[in-house]
Amino acid sequence: MTAFEEYYGFMEKFIEFYKDAQRVEFEKFDALMSVNLERVQAVMKNYQSYIKQAQNFEEQRIDLCKKLGFENMAFSEIISHFEGDEAEKLTEQKDRLTSVIRTIKYLNKRSMDFVNVQLGEIEEAASIYNTKGIADSHLANSNLLNKQI
């Protein structure tokens, strides 16, 4: 098997994994938006599994790059070691991977933004209670509870 065949074949599996991870990232975002705790917990458990798998895939990619003499090289640098159709196929692969990773990052940012807003609202709501868990009448009557987002 040539270096191209080995690297290209591995990267196809790598991209397919990240396409699946993109789907899981969307499920996470959708579950968070549903505000259904059981659903969020189930999705987050699955999400943790994908994080571990991603770490394993990255280790395999690093090992393969070492084996093929591409240690510490970016994808674009690896492409420069090939010509013609091989370089073209790898460039297309790199573009697909970049697109999938960009979408995953976007969805993750949206999820984190949503969680941070929700946490802020919880903190605001909790701040109207005194240490005994009784609503402070001064705060309870403020505009805090009437605020619209």
Side-chain angles (χ1 to χ4, degrees):
M1 183 179 294
T2 67
F4 169 78
E5 292 169 336
E6 198 167 351
Y7 187 77
Y8 185 85
F10 177 82
M11 290 309 292
E12 279 299 304
K13 293 174 190 165
F14 194 79
I15 292 167
E16 286 306 311
F17 168 78
Y18 276 100
K19 282 181 180 179
D20 201 34
Q22 177 181 308
R23 179 191 52 76
V24 171
E25 190 70 44
F26 181 77
E27 287 174 2
K28 179 183 81 171
F29 176 71
D30 195 48
L32 288 167
M33 296 297 289
S34 76
V35 195
N36 177 324
L37 186 57
E38 288 177 10
R39 183 174 172 207
V40 170
Q41 288 174 330
V43 168
M44 291 307 293
K45 187 175 183 179
N46 188 35
Y47 184 74
Q48 292 292 338
S49 168
Y50 271 85
I51 290 171
K52 288 179 184 175
Q53 289 177 46
Q55 290 168 339
N56 288 337
F57 248 116
E58 183 59 17
E59 289 171 10
Q60 290 174 26
R61 188 195 65 77
I62 289 168
D63 289 344
L64 178 62
C65 286
K66 284 179 187 176
K67 175 186 166 194
L68 298 175
F70 302 140
E71 187 172 2
N72 298 321
M73 289 187 195
F75 205 152
S76 55
E77 292 174 301
I78 293 170
I79 293 170
S80 70
H81 285 79
F82 297 94
E83 297 177 351
D85 286 345
E86 291 178 346
E88 210 172 290
K89 287 179 180 180
L90 288 173
T91 299
E92 190 270 336
Q93 227 181 21
K94 178 184 172 286
D95 292 345
R96 285 187 292 135
L97 180 60
T98 300
S99 176
V100 170
I101 297 297
R102 187 177 299 130
T103 301
I104 289 171
K105 285 181 177 182
Y106 171 77
L107 289 168
N108 188 51
K109 181 180 179 341
R110 294 282 313 269
S111 294
M112 293 305 297
D113 290 347
F114 179 76
V115 166
N116 287 330
V117 167
Q118 295 301 312
L119 287 174
E121 289 178 8
I122 290 168
E123 287 173 358
E124 277 185 23
S127 71
I128 68 168
Y129 293 94
N130 64 24
T131 57
K132 295 180 183 175
I134 300 170
D136 183 323
S137 61
H138 172 63
L139 291 174
N141 292 327
S142 72
N143 285 337
L144 179 67
L145 296 177
N146 298 323
K147 181 174 92 172
Q148 291 184 354
I149 296 178

